[in-house]
Amino acid sequence: MSVNLKDKIALVTGASRGIGYFTALELAKAGAHVIACARTVGGLEDLDDAIKAAGGSATLVPFDLADMAAIDRLGASIFERWGKLDILVANAGMLGTISPIGHVEAKVFEKVMNVNVTATWRLIRSVEPLLMRSEAGRAIVLSSGVAHSCRPFWGPYAASKAAVEVLVRIWAGETQRTTLRVNSVNPGPTRTAMRALAVPGEDPVTLPHPSEVAAKLIPLVSDEVAETGKLYLVREGKFVDYREPE
Ligand code: NDP
């Protein structure tokens, strides 16, 4: 399915490498102007070159998501420059350490929660009014299968992703009567730096390249998406609903 995102403004966090990089590139190829965030300036500049080569356009915003005030300023800057935001891809995340819960260092646990959960909430708070100014605001937030599988030794990361999915479901409930649609996404194991850190013995060639995953994320931010508050499983190619019946 070819998605036309001409005249859309899209914000992508974690755009310096991995899934975020290729999602930003795909969004730009589909016509969106991409606001690309991450700490690594070199990665963002590589992305900018790739986007320009593909005939697209981007604005680079290098900053650390642990800087909550910077997230607030980002929302204000987007409002001043574009007056709206059409697409949010909250993709940035960190793994922390793989170890028994009782062995996780406090500073690691706090950092994972800060970057994966608190920054995601802060980002939602910062850009929600801008997404509401779009005719068809769309947000996707990257989660992980471990939020449900509760795989031993993945404690901080798994807990952070479960928290993010809950935030998305609540946000979706609060905005259900608006044109905004917000969903979580489980990309499945993907050939990136984070996956190599998490599963060092694995042959990366056995995993999908992040560009393959990115191509499957673009339809999730199109005007046609009707689902909200769901989890999209990239490998299965479908939305699922983990909500308990009330
Ligand atoms: P990578 O580690 O390859 O990329 C992570 C991105 O997040 C980088 O661009 C990094 O940029 C950015 N980032 C990390 N910390 C910060 C920070 N403090 N401030 C700003 N940006 C930050 O990860 P993936 O591409 O693999 O993962 C992308 C998303 O997909 C994550 O949310 C991950 O949890 C999820 N996911 C990935 C899976 C996989 O198998 N790869 C499986 C399931 C979920 P920089 O370092 O330049 O700041």
Side-chain angles (χ1 to χ4, degrees):
M1 181 172 71
S2 154
V3 176
N4 184 357
L5 301 177
K6 190 173 171 303
D7 299 330
K8 304 264 189 195
I9 308 295
L11 171 61
V12 182
T13 65
S16 61
R17 62 173 183 266
I19 295 168
Y21 176 103
F22 288 98
T23 304
L25 182 55
E26 286 297 322
L27 288 166
K29 282 183 183 170
H33 178 78
V34 173
I35 304 164
C37 307
R39 292 165 301 179
T40 310
V41 174
L44 293 178
E45 286 176 347
D46 287 350
L47 172 67
D48 195 36
D49 290 345
I51 286 177
K52 280 193 184 125
S57 67
T59 299
L60 310 183
V61 188
F63 77 103
D64 189 335
L65 278 168
D67 180 352
M68 300 297 156
I71 298 176
D72 296 347
R73 287 196 299 273
L74 176 63
S77 303
I78 295 171
F79 177 72
E80 278 167 28
R81 187 149 166 202
W82 294 284
K84 63 153 188 179
L85 181 68
D86 301 293
I87 295 164
L88 167 66
V89 180
N91 160 82
M94 60 175 292
L95 179 70
T97 47
I98 302 287
S99 68
I101 284 180
H103 295 201
V104 177
E105 282 184 67
K107 66 174 189 223
V108 171
F109 191 89
E110 284 161 12
K111 184 142 195 229
V112 171
M113 289 299 155
N114 205 34
V115 171
N116 292 5
V117 185
T118 310
T120 301
W121 157 72
R122 195 79 172 219
L123 193 59
I124 289 170
R125 193 180 79 153
S126 180
V127 304
E128 184 188 29
L130 300 167
L131 288 165
M132 290 298 190
R133 292 171 69 94
S134 168
E135 283 176 7
R138 298 285 178 267
I140 54 172
V141 179
L142 273 285
S143 183
S144 166
V146 288
H148 301 274
S149 68
C150 301
R151 188 171 175 178
F153 311 116
W154 289 55
Y157 177 77
S160 76
K161 292 300 183 179
V164 152
E165 284 191 18
V166 170
L167 281 180
V168 168
R169 284 166 56 183
I170 288 171
W171 189 24
E174 291 167 357
T175 55
Q176 200 158 18
R177 290 173 194 279
T178 73
T179 54
L180 182 59
R181 307 283 96 180
V182 303
N183 292 291
S184 302
V185 176
N186 173 9
T190 308
R191 197 189 315 166
T192 68
M194 183 188 287
R195 180 70 188 185
L197 194 63
V199 191
E202 190 172 50
D203 179 0
V205 177
T206 60
L207 300 175
H209 190 269
S211 59
E212 293 172 55
V213 171
K216 293 175 182 164
L217 300 187
I218 304 309
L220 305 179
V221 296
S222 74
D223 288 2
E224 282 66 43
V225 167
E227 288 83 358
T228 198
K230 308 243 171 159
L231 173 65
Y232 186 82
L233 306 175
V234 170
R235 283 214 290 193
E236 287 80 354
K238 65 176 185 186
F239 282 102
V240 292
D241 190 349
Y242 282 111
R243 235 167 277 174
E244 296 295 327
E246 287 168 13

